[in-house]
Amino acid sequence: MNDHSQTITDYAHQSPIPRTILLLMEREEIIRDPLTQEDLIGLHLVEQIWGNRAVLRAQLNRMSLHTRERFIRTVALNSKWERYAYSRYFNQEPESRLSLTQVIEEIQITFRFEMTRKQINRIRKIRTQAQVARHREKKKRNGTISYKAQTKK
């Protein structure tokens, strides 16, 4: 296959840039599918700085500290429904109860899909992650986190 008819999916197999990002670039009309020679040149430039800490630092520096912290907490959550579940549990009112069933129903209605058992188990893990983060945030606000206990010797 020559470079002029390479698809985004084909390109993603050999590139450090994830397919989801390439598809986002296509939706925003930055590149086309199949990729043109111009697209390939641009993507080659992006690959050279992809994941570069100095570039990431400059991008993150434009966000407020609060926004950066929120972003970093959810960076491993790849789908919108996962981030939704996390934010529902993380932002829940203190002393209130939010059932797993309620969150599952909200996700199924909002994102229009029937959740599988694997996805429901994923929500359970996300709930735990959000609860731990809330607990740490509460301790941090109250000034009770022991940083000595968190450092390795």
Side-chain angles (χ1 to χ4, degrees):
M1 178 180 287
N2 67 26
D3 283 348
H4 296 289
S5 63
Q6 191 173 23
T7 66
I8 287 174
T9 301
D10 294 334
Y11 188 82
H13 290 299
Q14 52 93 29
S15 173
I17 305 170
R19 181 175 174 267
T20 55
I21 300 303
L22 295 170
L23 292 173
L24 171 77
M25 292 171 78
E26 180 194 20
R27 276 194 309 276
E28 294 186 6
E29 298 181 357
I30 297 168
I31 60 173
R32 289 164 285 307
D33 195 11
L35 298 167
T36 65
Q37 189 62 35
E38 183 181 84
D39 295 335
L40 292 169
I41 292 168
L43 288 171
H44 180 68
L45 291 172
V46 171
E47 282 180 355
Q48 291 179 20
I49 62 164
W50 189 260
N52 180 294
R53 287 179 182 245
V55 175
L56 291 172
R57 186 174 288 114
Q59 291 173 325
L60 290 172
N61 193 34
R62 297 179 68 193
M63 298 178 189
S64 70
L65 179 60
H66 179 70
T67 303
R68 281 195 305 262
E69 287 173 347
R70 278 193 350 232
F71 177 75
I72 289 169
R73 274 197 309 265
T74 61
V75 78
L77 304 175
N78 294 320
S79 65
K80 286 183 182 181
W81 68 264
E82 288 174 321
R83 290 188 296 274
Y84 176 85
Y86 183 92
S87 67
R88 285 291 283 130
Y89 285 112
F90 187 82
N91 297 322
Q92 148 187 6
E93 290 296 319
E95 308 304 321
S96 67
R97 297 190 54 80
L98 181 58
S99 73
L100 183 67
T101 307
Q102 181 181 345
V103 174
I104 290 168
E105 288 174 5
E106 289 176 7
I107 289 171
Q108 290 181 152
I109 290 168
T110 304
F111 296 97
R112 298 184 181 126
F113 72 95
E114 196 70 28
M115 298 195 85
T116 65
R117 182 165 292 178
K118 185 177 179 181
Q119 290 167 327
I120 291 170
N121 287 336
R122 178 75 176 128
I123 289 179
R124 285 188 176 99
K125 289 178 184 174
I126 290 168
R127 176 181 60 189
T128 302
Q129 184 181 354
Q131 289 169 340
V132 167
R134 280 182 61 172
H135 179 71
R136 286 183 179 157
E137 184 115 339
K138 182 180 174 186
K139 279 188 157 188
K140 184 178 170 185
R141 277 194 308 270
N142 295 336
T144 58
I145 292 180
S146 168
Y147 289 101
K148 282 186 179 179
Q150 292 179 358
T151 58
K152 293 182 179 179
K153 292 182 180 184

